[in-house]
Amino acid sequence: MAMDDVQVKDGVDAETVEAVKALSGAYKYGWNTEIEMEYAPKGLSEDIVRLISSKNDEPEWMLDWRLAAYRRWLELIEPDWAMVDYPKIDFQDQYYYARPKSMEEKPKSLDDVDPKLLETYKKLGIPLKEQALLAGVEAPEGERRVAVDAVFDSVSVGTTFQAELMKAGVIFCSISEAIREHPELVRKYLGTVVPVSDNYYATLNCAVFSDGSFVYIPPGVRCPMELSTYFRINAENTGQFERTLIIADKESYVSYLEGCTAPQRDIAQLHAAVVELIALDDAEIKYSTVQNWYPGDENGKGGIYNFVTKRADCRGDRSKVMWTQVETGSAVTWKYPSCVLRGNDSQGEFYSIAIANNMQQADTGTKMVHLGKNTKSRIVSKGISAGKAQNTYRGLVSMHPKAKNSRNFTQCDSLLIGDKCGAHTVPYIEVKNNSSRVEHEATTSKVDDDQLFYCRSRGMGEEDAVALVVNGFCKEVLQALPMEFAMEAQALVAISLEGSVG
Amino acid sequence: MLEIKNLCVQLEEEDKKILRGVNLSLEAGKVHAIMGPNGSGKSTLSYVLSGKGGYEVTEGSAHLEGNDILEMEPEERAAAGLFLAFQYPVEIPGVGNMTFLRTAVNSQRKLRGEPEMSAGEFLKVVRAKAKDLKIDADMLKRPVNVGFSGGEKKRNEILQMAMLEPKMCILDETDSGLDVDAMKLVAQGVNALRDGKRTFLVITHYQRLLDHIKPDVVHIMAAGRIIKSGGPELALEVENNGYADLLEETA
């Protein structure tokens, strides 16, 4: 096992601190939707678990599963090993279920959805009309289309292109709908990648998850369009517990995008999601996330606490999963999208950009667990810290005795802006056979004044110069994103770092 | 074009005077050269004029076409027409050379309130100018200055200068680290930009660059001051006799 911890501090740069203080209102999704909501009573108990289950019209087996998880959760202790520091969460001081009143009667189609909700997604740039694209991109000839599942607080508002996807045999719906309509698939796969007992937050999620997305791609099908889910937390004091399950059957392919935002509020909010991916023989899943939860203000007030368990099981031979994430938001991020490389010749890839500014804290990375023969994994992590933020890469590469001739390559780069932030790298490496190879490269650098001056002397403003240098630093990861997301992510990198230099 | 009066500069961090009253008057369309021994303040002058941090101007002024440039941000000076070809061009990993150039061109245009250059037009212009400097398509795609040879870096500086079309060009030891052929290529690039209106300030240690870029006026700088000015023959004098005689003369 190797461990190194880098913290670079040099020079005194009072201007940076000033500039960071001056930063406010840079988060452009901080507005809130005025809408009549229906809440479950505050706090967590068996009754709340039963209530959530009944709101979703769930069958008995699902309720039993939830209750078992809840009882287990009561016995678990909140983990404290991550390099994040936050006030103790009072799990009884939260709402676990909140839905717009207008969603009480499930809308038959998108036309029946409350105009206020449609307006919300329009304002976010998320198309809930079936001809539109993601925001920021003009539709070219023969445009690429994206199917969207929109989740608002605890419920899915609607899913586009369902009928067209169904023609190809693709099931794309909210998880609550899947539990009702496709119980055989859900029962077969739910909890098989992230077991109920996995960890504190995952177990909590199993008990109280309210909605999320479900995808099934049948054998031999290449999903005809990109699928995406957009999560919006709107209600106050409400946790969002989403659950996503994606199954790519033999020889199928799917590219899935996830986006998320929340209003600007003074009180921190909890988000504990579980995402499970299953790739069978020769299947491939690309999962891309642009996480832009409200990060809190410059003094660390408010923001989302993001405790997420994402894991892919490359169950079949020659299966492939690629995680790409751009993490710009949240006050606290605790997230390790991982791959279990069970099938022989399976591949896992992880590309990550994690930006932490002001008082944000990010502890993120991946686990690549090599079980099958000739398995390959690749990790490219780019951490950017500014303000007083702390950014930690935590990763595990594990080669089991049977994972003969397996390979891993890890590249882990940190970039520091200013002198009050920190970057930490904590790689764990376990190799239990002698035919596998693991490579790890790590660098830490600063956006140096010479680079900024060089750009400025050519006519670029200071913030444009920072954005250019940082986007250059992230290039390998940005290239791994689908085009629409890459452009959004590039702009987001610039916005997230606004005011980070003085 | 550029009027520098009694410019006195010291380091911000420590009480060390570097420029002790520099006076220079550069007329439009002329090429001025500054020569001088190591540590005389030549590079500092170029940095202070282009707005690099870490220096404090204690006295004096610098005006570009009548505008006080010392009050401006570096990018505003660039948009006003000032360009510095760096002695040590900076590497920017991951940023394509072409992206960098286009961002620079359009940033300046934006600051001047002009419309941006379209992608098509930009590509056409940059290809033509790159060809003159023997910069191939590969070098335009590679990240800015990363893995460039000494000669490639300096040619790249001249390409930036050609694209940005400044009024006032400062070349800080552009000949350092170049072999004879590379120096000729760079000098050709500079000469191609001499149009009778554009002004140049060429900072160099050696006379040999001035064989290729013929100056109108040569200044000798020592200990933070211009100690002597003259015609091109002054550079030859330095080449033959070194700085020692001149330093004694003015001591």
Side-chain angles (χ1 to χ4, degrees), chain A residues 154-281:
Chain A
S154 304
V155 290
S156 168
V157 170
T159 310
T160 60
F161 289 110
Q162 270 181 313
E164 197 173 330
L165 286 165
M166 204 39 128
K167 276 187 219 152
V170 172
I171 304 170
F172 180 41
C173 61
S174 68
I175 192 106
S176 53
E177 192 180 331
I179 291 166
R180 291 190 300 267
E181 309 292 327
H182 308 283
E184 68 300 338
L185 283 171
V186 176
R187 283 189 91 161
K188 187 172 174 189
Y189 292 106
L190 187 73
T192 62
V193 185
V194 178
V196 172
S197 57
D198 195 78
N199 70 71
Y200 188 79
Y201 305 106
T203 307
L204 175 64
N205 176 286
C206 291
V208 300
F209 77 84
S210 45
D211 225 332
S213 297
F214 175 83
V215 176
Y216 173 76
I217 315 287
V221 170
R222 193 178 166 89
C223 188
M225 65 183 86
E226 257 153 14
L227 307 183
S228 82
T229 303
Y230 196 91
F231 295 96
R232 174 77 175 169
I233 298 180
N234 190 64
E236 264 180 285
N237 292 324
T238 302
Q240 191 176 54
F241 302 91
E242 90 217 26
R243 185 95 195 183
T244 297
L245 178 58
I246 299 177
I247 303 136
D249 214 323
K250 291 176 183 175
E251 295 174 26
S252 68
Y253 167 87
V254 63
S255 169
Y256 179 91
L257 320 171
E258 177 204 304
C260 26
T261 59
Q264 199 159 336
R265 299 198 191 283
D266 289 347
I267 297 165
Q269 280 178 288
L270 184 62
H271 175 256
V274 171
V275 174
E276 296 178 282
L277 312 185
I278 295 138
L280 301 180
D281 288 357

Side-chain angles (χ1 to χ4, degrees), chain B residues 5-23:
Chain B
K5 282 190 185 139
N6 190 34
L7 190 62
C8 297
V9 170
Q10 63 184 40
L11 289 181
E12 252 172 20
E13 302 267 306
E14 49 185 308
D15 192 19
K16 189 183 169 194
K17 290 192 171 70
I18 302 182
L19 299 184
R20 301 159 184 268
V22 173
N23 289 294

Side-chain angles (χ1 to χ4, degrees), chain A residues 31 55 95 102 129 193 210 214-215 297 301 309 350 383 461:
Chain A
W31 43 270
K55 289 274 180 202
Y95 292 104
S102 55
K129 294 247 189 267
V193 185
S210 45
F214 175 83
V215 176
D297 71 4
K301 205 169 178 196
T309 306
F350 173 77

Side-chain angles (χ1 to χ4, degrees), chain A residues 448 450-451 453-462 464 468-469 471-473 475, chain B residues 50-52 73-75 78 83-84 86 91 93-95 104 107-108 145 157 160:
Chain A
D448 68 17
D450 287 345
Q451 282 175 328
F453 175 62
Y454 191 65
C455 294
R456 295 181 74 189
S457 78
R458 298 302 181 246
M460 298 170 212
E462 188 161 31
D464 292 344
L468 187 82
V469 171
N471 272 313
F473 173 77
K475 194 178 177 195
Chain B
S50 49
K52 190 176 179 173
E73 296 294 332
E75 58 271 25
F83 181 89
L84 169 64
F86 281 58
E91 296 182 1
V95 177
S107 298
Q108 289 203 10
N145 292 321
E157 292 291 290
Q160 291 177 14

Side-chain angles (χ1 to χ4, degrees), chain B residues 180-201:
Chain B
V180 182
D181 294 332
M183 190 166 67
K184 273 189 191 159
L185 205 56
V186 165
Q188 274 169 19
V190 173
N191 289 332
L193 292 171
R194 290 176 74 167
D195 60 357
K197 283 182 250 157
R198 190 167 283 134
T199 311
F200 291 85
L201 183 61

Side-chain angles (χ1 to χ4, degrees), chain B residues 118-139:
Chain B
S118 73
E121 191 190 350
F122 174 81
L123 212 60
K124 215 169 80 187
V125 179
V126 79
R127 280 194 184 137
K129 301 206 177 196
K131 201 176 160 208
D132 294 340
L133 288 157
K134 295 198 173 146
I135 290 174
D136 59 18
D138 179 54
M139 212 172 122

Side-chain angles (χ1 to χ4, degrees), chain A residues 387-404:
Chain A
K388 292 182 186 169
Q390 296 295 328
N391 207 328
T392 303
Y393 169 81
R394 189 182 301 277
L396 167 73
V397 175
S398 167
M399 301 283 184
H400 281 237
K402 286 181 181 163
K404 298 224 166 22

